[in-house]
Amino acid sequence: MILQIVGLKSSGKTTLMEHTIQVLKEHHHTVATVKHHGHHNSEDHPDITLQNNHVDHMKHFYAGADQSIVQGNAYQQSVTRTQNKTLDEIIDESVTIDSNVILVEGFKEASYDKVLVYRDENDRNALNHLTHIKYAINISKPEALRQYDQWLLSFLISKE
């Protein structure tokens, strides 16, 4: 199952992603995540920040490798040179574990089920054009996360 968490900047998307991951793990789900860095490359909004070249695999990458992978005892990390890809391409090419839930932060225009995170009604109205919105949440409201948890668990059951 693929579920997107979408909203405007500083609406609480990452907070809800972290919360959702914790809830899913408590219920023994295998979770992969994809994050869209929504800022365009500019002086004010640089591309994603990579590790520095003091670690060996990044020395390989900064020397010109198109992909560098490091394997530790319990973790594997990969960095790849690639142009902007669609969400479908990223999922097909980069999600390498067998997960029963893929959570996506961003990629508003993609066509998967979405949870809309908003700060106020203006935010919510600005995103009404999005498709596949299954739930909307203002995480600053009392009881919002508890109600979301109930919705999330029943939504997962409906998708099985």
Side-chain angles (χ1 to χ4, degrees):
M1 181 197 74
I2 299 170
L3 181 64
Q4 295 179 253
I5 307 289
V6 300
L8 298 178
K9 183 174 173 46
S10 300
S11 60
K13 295 181 301 292
T14 301
T15 299
L16 189 60
M17 284 283 291
E18 292 172 314
H19 178 82
T20 303
I21 293 164
Q22 292 168 353
V23 170
L24 293 170
K25 294 306 291 179
E26 286 170 6
H27 288 85
H28 310 288
H29 291 279
T30 305
V31 181
T33 67
V34 177
K35 163 78 169 107
H36 185 246
H37 182 65
H39 310 291
H40 300 294
N41 258 357
S42 70
E43 207 170 289
D44 294 336
H45 295 102
D47 204 349
I48 60 175
T49 303
L50 300 176
Q51 285 182 299
N52 62 39
N53 64 353
H54 298 296
V55 292
D56 289 348
H57 76 288
M58 291 309 294
K59 288 179 181 179
H60 306 167
F61 189 74
Y62 285 115
D66 295 302
Q67 184 176 51
S68 181
I69 302 167
V70 61
Q71 178 66 53
N73 289 328
Y75 303 107
Q76 182 183 81
Q77 187 177 55
S78 172
V79 61
T80 307
R81 293 180 201 281
T82 183
Q83 293 302 312
N84 215 0
K85 293 189 174 200
T86 68
L87 179 55
D88 287 330
E89 290 171 327
I90 293 168
I91 290 169
D92 290 344
E93 298 170 16
S94 300
V95 176
T96 59
I97 66 167
D98 185 19
S99 57
N100 55 344
V101 179
I102 298 173
L103 286 179
V104 177
E105 182 176 340
F107 292 92
K108 289 183 198 84
E109 304 302 327
S111 298
Y112 294 102
D113 293 335
K114 294 176 181 65
V115 174
L116 174 62
V117 185
Y118 64 96
R119 293 175 298 231
D120 56 39
E121 289 305 314
N122 289 334
D123 283 4
R124 190 173 183 172
N125 292 335
L127 297 173
N128 272 344
H129 69 281
L130 297 178
T131 61
H132 300 88
I133 296 173
K134 302 299 180 189
Y135 195 83
I137 181 172
N138 178 336
I139 63 173
S140 66
K141 291 195 173 188
E143 300 295 311
L145 289 176
R146 185 187 62 73
Q147 292 168 354
Y148 169 76
D149 293 351
Q150 291 173 346
W151 171 83
L152 177 63
L153 295 175
S154 61
F155 181 73
L156 287 169
I157 290 169
S158 76
K159 292 292 183 175
E160 289 179 348

